[in-house]
Amino acid sequence: SGELFDLPGGAVGFAVGYEHRNQRASYTPDPIITAGLGADVPTSPAAGSFNVDEVYGEIRIPILADVPFFQKLELDGAVRHSNYSSFGSNTTFTVSGLWKPVSDLLLRGSVSRDIRAPNLFELFAGNQSAISLLVDPVSGITANVPQVTGGNPDLKPEKADTLTFG
């Protein structure tokens, strides 16, 4: 990271990098709990792992500062490419800008592509049983409903395209 060169608004800043992460988790419940013979909720053993490699870059471009109608004018950008062993590759980005024509007014906006990758629990959690209370608000009938929840190793990331102005 550092500064590239100066513009009338200040120094153009940048950052680039690489990151590698290994994530793993395991859970080994007591055999009595696994068999459903204890006082706790029956659960099954679970284990899983994934790794991710990411490269990223960011830039801040202060175009103008302290001139009439441009107390501040700035553009910013960031991009990240990720390769997850659990679901593959994706690229996210953000581009934003701000304009402060006078000291009491700041206009800003951004556009971005974002993800939320599934975590270890969501991917690899073991099955666990529960009883839920189901209530029909119209008839007032209630019932206990048995359910089993657990992880799903086929989950893909949640994606969002975002546009903001303020």
Side-chain angles (χ1 to χ4, degrees):
S1 64
E3 296 177 348
L4 295 172
F5 53 87
D6 288 331
L7 289 176
V12 173
F14 79 99
V16 294
Y18 167 80
E19 181 177 15
H20 174 80
R21 294 189 312 273
N22 289 315
Q23 295 186 288
R24 64 181 174 275
S26 64
Y27 171 65
T28 306
D30 184 289
I32 292 173
I33 299 302
T34 301
L37 302 174
D40 287 337
V41 173
T43 60
S44 59
S49 65
F50 66 83
N51 61 64
V52 60
D53 291 292
E54 297 181 306
V55 293
Y56 63 89
E58 300 177 15
I59 191 162
R60 182 180 59 83
I61 307 169
I63 300 168
L64 292 172
D66 301 322
V67 296
F69 300 108
F70 293 97
Q71 189 171 14
K72 189 172 205 174
L73 180 64
E74 183 175 300
L75 292 175
D76 299 283
V79 65
R80 178 177 295 258
H81 181 77
S82 306
N83 186 11
Y84 285 79
S85 63
S86 55
F87 61 80
S89 296
N90 65 67
T91 301
T92 59
F93 67 88
T94 299
V95 177
S96 62
L98 65 85
W99 174 39
K100 188 173 187 177
V102 293
S103 63
D104 292 335
L105 179 63
L106 173 69
L107 303 171
R108 61 186 174 176
S110 68
V111 61
S112 67
R113 174 65 183 249
D114 309 295
I115 70 156
R116 190 191 73 79
N119 63 42
L120 288 166
F121 181 80
E122 293 165 330
L123 292 168
F124 304 114
N127 289 338
Q128 51 185 312
S129 301
I131 301 291
S132 296
L133 180 63
L134 179 66
V135 178
D136 182 342
V138 176
S139 68
I141 296 174
T142 63
N144 288 326
V145 178
Q147 67 181 33
V148 176
T149 61
N152 179 353
D154 296 324
L155 286 177
K156 303 294 184 227
E158 298 171 5
K159 297 179 181 178
D161 292 316
T162 306
L163 180 63
T164 63
F165 291 101

